[in-house]
């Protein structure tokens, strides 16, 4: 499957808001986890279906419903029905080919993000879509599969460390976004190291294989950009949002993530420049190397061609070739040939062709 | 006919608003279909001429008049006369070389779009112009030929599925735009697969033919961009339009199409980057391959040239060449030649030229 | 004379508003034509000097004064004196190196445009400057030479076809601009065909000559852009102008020309992309072709070099070369040489070097 | 000294407003000229020090103080003290590495410009900084050395030609700016001619030397841009300035210089495109030429290599070579060789390799 | 460690505002220096811990606390506690991978800058992060290590030279920023000289090593841009800031630094253009040189190949070769060969291949 566009064809012709999962199915069953807390209390449990969350919906505590697996229509429909989410949003949740964006409805804010990981073996970026629905006192997070970068957030919630338990659900949403963005730095570090390795390679050992690796790197850069660029706009509009969902005090934190995003984008652009530079460097390296080979070889050939001509001359069978019969001819010819060879060699050296 | 600009010369010197068809004529006779509906009723019929639509014009039901074939002046003039459309708009309808755009008149909104299809055999994008005129309770859609991407919309109308029958003509217009934009994804999927095939080709089997294919791909990208880029502006101004033709509730849907358009543009830009990358990859591939050939061949030549010189030496006919008469000379010369050949081979190997 | 900047040196040091003609003089005498009309009446006559136009100046009818030839100071000065035009504007009229622009004075609007034609033989774009001065009920058009694209406008005026006789002088000005812009499409068509011819050439018959042709095409594109890009801004500011010279109803028409301009700019940009693509295509074509030549030739050489070595061996004159005396040696050597040649040929084939 | 950045190191660590001359000192002593005029009177004299200008400072006539030489601290300090100029401005005056800019103080406007000239021998652009201080009824112009483009302005002042004597000091400032900008056209003309010469050269006689010349041209373009681009902003902010220093009627003239600047920038950009095109053209020219050489030479070699093999065959000394003894062998071998040579030649021709 | 992104992994999963030092630790112990002054008094002392600064906090004099070493959590925490700084800001101070930025809190302004130095031996730019916290009457500056560009500021403070002692803490903050920005010019000068040296090298002595040097230069340019570009925005928002921390009179000075920044950015862009130009120049240089070598060598080979063929002909052993027995044959063959060689040489010369 193309990594730049997911198969949408099966959805062709369906009305807007139709719930069709687009993407690879990564797990069997949807699993739902529910965390409910305020400054004083904390409870965490796995629930079987979304209806168990109804009592928490209007409670004053902050409720975080984490849903792993978004391929099951019925679960998504339940979320829509119980929390009053617009069908177009539900459609977006199930379509894993979204561009990061935020949409501000009156009663909730919808945020789509890309959670990235770097497959060190394949040197490929893996992307997973995370949707956040931020309501008056709940946050619903929907992921494609088990495993995420939110463990540290859960830990802080459990231990009641830092501001998180004292703050509202907007701070929880911020923490989740921050966790995802923070993880981008890890990926950038790895790519940075990879680029430096490649640089070594290109300078010291350029091979046709390098071309493919550089082409692949370019593609990964495209994927990275695609996930990160829209974040800037997203965070910008979250900050300027006048939604009552987001309190003023959270804005400072959103600005902080925004700054991180700018820095990530800067780094990606620098990496792109670096990669482009590597391609140029590879091309000069390979051409320098080729030139060196061709030059030495051609020069060898060039020195011997006149010599071969000389020996050819005395291989002729004419009856009247006076030199043939002289005693020292053979020796003299050798001398001449050595002289020619050496002087050509010196000439090439002096011209810096060797 | 150029695919970037259609012949307009026959229109030279005519006043503005002159109705001249510009483009290829794709069908014999104009065919008109009329669908009339509200939440409760639905009727669908083919009509012979546009005048049969007059009774529906001011009826409270939503009327969708679909006209296939825009090369017939009289039909277009009838539309203008009966629905009160500005001559410049009628001119735009008949000129199939329009840029996608929207124009907001007081009594109707005019929208021009490109409906695309991908000719898999020729690997070419085919473009058809679709004009929409959205009046108070009617939508007129004008196409160049039979066959379109609207069948799913018709189906939903007939079956009364989803919101469509309950909503006004602005929702119908949205549905038509959405159907066209949705179809772009199908085309992008096909092009995406095509690019991946090409990538395989370029890496494993680059041939001069590939140059032409990549050049063609570049041209298709230009055509694709030309059709899609202006869409963003179009949808943006539709959303911000204060025309009474478009109700607030439809705006959410327009934003959805807008998001799709952004994603399509993103994907096209990524494809462009990919294609540019492919051209670079092709050039390195071909030069790597060429270098490999040249290197091996030159080395073979280079090894044999000094050897040929040696055998030349003993082909000379001097009377006084002592070596000639020694018993082991021939054997020794062979030894020397093998030694020279092997040591050059080893030298080249060690220098990684082989 | 450079086609990118005209000789201005003769004007150096003159005060602003000095009337000096800059450009090539294209005709002997200035010729002036005067057309006066309203819905009911129409008169057309050639006048000797601009003073004959004074009676028409304040008449309620629309007066169009067309002046061919702008190199004669006295004519331009007369225009300035009689119609009250600012000296800087008169200076601009006579300097044929203007950038298309519009200036909004209280009593008139000044518009400079480039009328283009395509010299099919030289494949060069020819540019002529047209200035329009739009006053309360007159339009003065000033051109460099006889012959223009306004004949269709005159025809419509004479025949009283369309809106033109019923509308004011702003509609006349629009018609003149429209005639010029419409003519750009003709030029684009011709260039489009030219590019397609070139594409054929580059693919099937690339020659060093092609380089020059592509370079020339690039220059024509620069000239085209220079004339067309500023038009967008010009038409935009005409539309937004609050000058009483331009009535609301003309705005729809100006928007139409604006749309055409956008389309022309789009097409030029696509042509530029195409030309850049052609250069790349030429470079790969030529290098593919060169590679093909070099490869085949090098391979021929490479096959024969070892063979030549072998025959050289048996050309040596050693006394003790046992093979020399064997009966079948000659035949065997031939066999060996054929075997070596054929196996190298097969090897190269298998490696796809042939 | 680098032409892109002047030595500032000697100023390191000094407080803001310290008066240190940065740049090359171009003359011995500062010379000061004072012109005082209104519509009726005109006086012109050289003064020894700036204090002689005090009586003119508050007189109602327009006073133009032209200072050649800005390396003398005491002169600049006098200007500051007598006319009340901010130390940061005085610092800018003495630092000849300024970017063109304007600063609007309450009591005066400060303008920095670059006066350019083209050294035809070195094909280099020379730049001189000109500062203008425009006060209520005086203009102070400060230049690096004697000799400028203002002679025409002085002439017009002396002769009382045109508007200049009737207008205020803002018109004088405009005239000085206009004189500088007008001179850019002269430089552009010369560069244009130079580019055309280069184009001829590149097409007909490309040599390694051309590379250096094109590189130099690129650098001159960078210097030109650096001087001209900021002018647009400068003139824009002068026009929009609400300073009482600039009267409304002068605005029309400033717009005129602004238009010239836009045109100059356009031309520079076109020249840049042209230069980039020349580099591409040079590269294809040189590679076409090289290919031609290599092709012909390789083909000659390739034709003779098989022939040399054939003659080698009959140079072998085998006892049993039947052909050796036949009467017509020699003749037949010649025939074969000629046939081989000719047929290879024909083959290459047909393949269009020759 | 990558120079484009610092190791952040150790911070993964920590809550926002966690104090973790990111970067290289450059010194053992944090050292703190405190300078307190107003127009009349001045005191300077080293303090052991930040608490000694408490008495100065609310005093009316200006207090400058300079902290070298930011890796010690406790020191940074003290600063936060005593001066009431937001934890996110403290986190930013300790993370040396910040992008230059300013944040405007109600009670203080936070500014991050990069202090650069140029390692002449490695031709590398070294970067050190400097944070400024500007409160009501104090400035805290935090650096990574000992040694900075502020000595001149200290000197001016001690000597009471210039405005600095008479002005508030905003002027002190400006002076520090100005000192950093001024130092950029020194670095640009050095890089400028380095580029000119490189240019010489590329023109006169291009070697494969040059590729690596140019690649390195490109990387340094990326690092330079990364540090300087955000400055423009930073200074812009400082100028427009409505914070009571910054007085109106300081604005003139901020505008001055802003102008310097623009000039630095301009120069960096010019250097980038120059470097790109150098890469192109290197590539043409190397290819010109290679072409020259190949051409001469190939021509030598080509002249001798036909000659070798001729001598081969007369090395054949046919019984019936009439020329063999003629007396003058050998001489004639030599004549022919010389004629062929010379005429080929002349031909190549005339074709300008030599």
């Amino acid at each position: 499957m193309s990594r730049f566009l997911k198969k949408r064809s099966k959805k062709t012709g369906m009305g807007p808001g139709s719930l069709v999962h687009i993407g690879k199915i990564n797990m069997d069953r949807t699993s739902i986890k529910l965390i409910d807390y305020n400054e004083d209390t904390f409870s965490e449990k796995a629930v079987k279906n979304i209806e168990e969350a109804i009592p928490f919906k209007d409670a004053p505590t902050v409720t975080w419903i984490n849903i792993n697996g978004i391929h099951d229509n019925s679960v998504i429909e339940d979320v829509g029905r119980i929390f009053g989410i617009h069908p177009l949003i539900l459609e977006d949740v199930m379509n894993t080919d979204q561009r990061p964006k935020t949409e501000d409805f009156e009663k909730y804010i919808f945020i789509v993000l890309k959670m990235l990981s770097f497959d060190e073996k394949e040197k490929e970026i893996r992307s997973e879509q995370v949707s956040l629905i931020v309501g008056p006192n709940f946050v619903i997070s929907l992921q494609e599969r088990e495993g995420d970068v939110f463990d540290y957030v859960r830990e802080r919630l459990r231990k009641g460390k830092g501001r998180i338990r004292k703050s509202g659900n907007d701070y929880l949403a911020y923490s989740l976004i921050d966790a995802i963005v923070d993880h981008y730095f890890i990926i950038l570090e790895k790519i940075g190291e990879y680029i430096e390795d490649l640089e070594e390679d290109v300078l010291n050992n350029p091979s046709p294989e390098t071309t493919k690796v550089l082409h692949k790197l370019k593609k990964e850069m495209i994927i990275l950009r695609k996930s990160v660029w829209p974040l800037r706009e997203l965070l910008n509009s979250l900050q300027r949002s006048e939604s009552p969902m987001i309190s003023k005090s959270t804005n400072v934190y959103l600005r902080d993530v925004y700054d991180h995003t700018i820095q990530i984008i800067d780094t990606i652009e620098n990496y792109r420049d670096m990669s482009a530079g590597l391609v140029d460097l590879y091309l000069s390296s390979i051409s320098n190397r080729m030139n060196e080979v061709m030059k030495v070889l051609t020069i060898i050939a060039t020195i011997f061609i006149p010599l071969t001509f000389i020996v050819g001359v005395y291989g002729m069978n004419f009856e009247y070739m006076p030199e043939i019969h002289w005693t020292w001819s053979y020796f003299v010819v050798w001398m001449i040939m050595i002289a020619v060879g050496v002087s050509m060699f010196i000439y090439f050296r002096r011209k810096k062709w060797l």
Side-chain angles (χ1 to χ4, degrees), chain A:
Chain A
M1 188 162 34
S2 167
R3 297 174 63 209
F4 294 98
L5 188 72
K6 289 185 181 161
K7 277 248 177 294
R8 286 181 169 231
S9 2
K10 60 177 166 177
K11 203 173 155 186
T12 305
M14 299 205 171
S18 311
L19 297 185
V20 180
H21 177 253
I22 290 177
K24 230 165 81 185
I25 294 179
N26 297 291
M27 55 192 308
D28 276 350
R29 291 198 63 251
T30 300
S31 87
I32 304 170
K33 265 195 187 138
L34 195 149
I35 289 176
D36 188 80
Y37 67 90
N38 63 13
E39 199 172 348
D40 305 312
T41 69
F42 176 85
S43 75
E44 182 176 8
K45 62 174 171 175
V47 298
K48 285 222 175 130
N49 59 55
I50 201 75
E51 267 150 23
E52 296 184 40
I54 299 182
F56 297 92
K57 198 185 142 192
D58 297 315
T61 50
V62 177
T63 310
W64 173 17
I65 303 165
N66 183 60
I67 301 175
N68 286 327
I70 52 168
H71 53 281
D72 187 347
N73 282 14
S74 65
V75 174
I76 306 302
E77 263 164 26
D78 281 359
V79 171
R81 190 170 38 78
I82 293 166
F83 293 93
I85 310 301
H86 195 286
L88 283 174
I89 294 303
L90 299 178
E91 194 187 351
D92 284 353
V93 165
M94 290 190 74
N95 177 350
T96 64
D97 197 24
Q98 290 299 313
R99 203 174 175 267
K101 67 170 178 178
T102 178
E103 295 217 30
D104 199 339
F105 285 78
E106 228 168 292
K107 295 198 179 138
Y108 54 91
I109 293 175
F110 175 63
I111 300 165
V112 191
L113 292 160
K114 295 288 174 183
M115 187 153 72
L116 302 180
S117 57
F118 189 66
D119 182 330
E120 301 239 25
K121 216 172 129 205
E122 294 290 324
K123 304 290 181 200
E124 260 179 30
I125 290 165
R126 304 256 178 262
S127 167
E128 182 186 344
Q129 178 162 312
V130 176
S131 309
L132 301 178
I133 298 168
V134 185
N137 50 11
F138 62 86
V139 173
I140 308 175
S141 61
L142 300 114
Q143 310 176 39
E144 287 184 58
R145 66 183 81 102
E146 295 284 348
D148 54 35
V149 298
F150 298 152
D151 283 341
Y152 294 109
V153 178
R154 285 188 197 100
E155 205 55 35
R156 263 183 283 143
L157 277 174
R158 280 182 206 123
K159 298 204 175 146
K161 278 201 307 188
R163 282 192 50 164
I164 196 161
R165 283 272 288 280
K166 294 174 207 127
S167 309
N169 66 331
D170 54 344
Y171 190 86
L172 174 61
Y174 148 73
S175 298
L176 297 178
I177 296 173
D178 187 51
I180 288 172
V181 171
D182 243 39
H183 198 70
Y184 291 169
F185 281 108
I186 312 284
I187 289 164
L188 285 181
E189 266 179 38
K190 286 182 186 159
I191 292 179
E193 282 163 16
Y194 183 43
I195 289 178
E196 287 187 352
D197 288 358
L198 270 177
E199 199 176 356
E200 281 299 302
D201 248 42
V202 165
L203 280 173
N204 302 323
N205 196 19
S207 77
E209 206 52 33
T210 321
T211 322
K212 292 182 195 178
V213 174
L214 288 171
H215 182 66
K216 178 152 205 167
L217 181 62
K218 223 184 223 165
K219 283 206 297 187
E220 299 309 311
M221 285 328 214
I222 294 176
I223 288 169
L224 202 57
R225 277 186 100 195
K226 198 183 156 186
S227 304
V228 179
W229 265 94
L231 255 182
R232 185 161 69 168
E233 206 184 308
L234 188 162
L235 285 162
N236 216 345
S237 72
L238 268 188
Q239 268 183 76
R240 284 171 322 184
S241 161
E242 292 177 4
S243 165
M245 291 327 140
I246 294 174
S247 63
K248 283 261 161 80
S249 64
T250 306
N251 250 337
V252 187
Y253 293 92
L254 286 175
R255 204 166 60 200
D256 196 56
V257 205
Y258 179 78
D259 281 351
H260 291 176
T261 307
I262 297 288
Q263 204 184 345
I264 289 166
I265 287 173
D266 264 26
T267 310
I268 291 176
E269 291 311 301
N270 288 344
Y271 281 0
R272 273 167 62 96
D273 278 11
M274 290 285 298
S275 316
L278 278 185
V279 172
D280 290 352
L281 191 62
Y282 169 74
L283 289 177
S284 333
S285 271
I286 216 73
S287 116
N288 277 334
R289 201 160 269 248
M290 189 63 205
N291 282 354
E292 201 194 338
V293 175
M294 294 297 286
K295 216 162 59 182
V296 172
L297 297 185
T298 312
I299 285 171
I300 289 179
T302 310
I303 289 178
F304 279 101
I305 279 172
L307 302 185
T308 302
F309 165 70
I310 293 174
V311 302
V313 166
Y314 294 104
M316 291 193 291
N317 297 318
F318 290 114
E319 266 184 9
Y320 303 94
M321 287 175 73
E323 305 98 306
I324 291 289
H325 308 292
W326 299 342
T327 314
W328 294 105
S329 295
Y330 180 52
F331 177 75
V332 167
V333 162
W334 262 119
M335 287 302 100
I336 289 171
M337 291 195 301
I338 287 166
V340 166
V342 167
S343 60
M344 281 177 85
F345 186 82
I346 289 169
Y347 177 77
F348 293 158
R349 252 282 143 79
R350 202 165 284 167
K351 280 245 173 179
K352 292 205 179 143
W353 294 355
L354 268 175

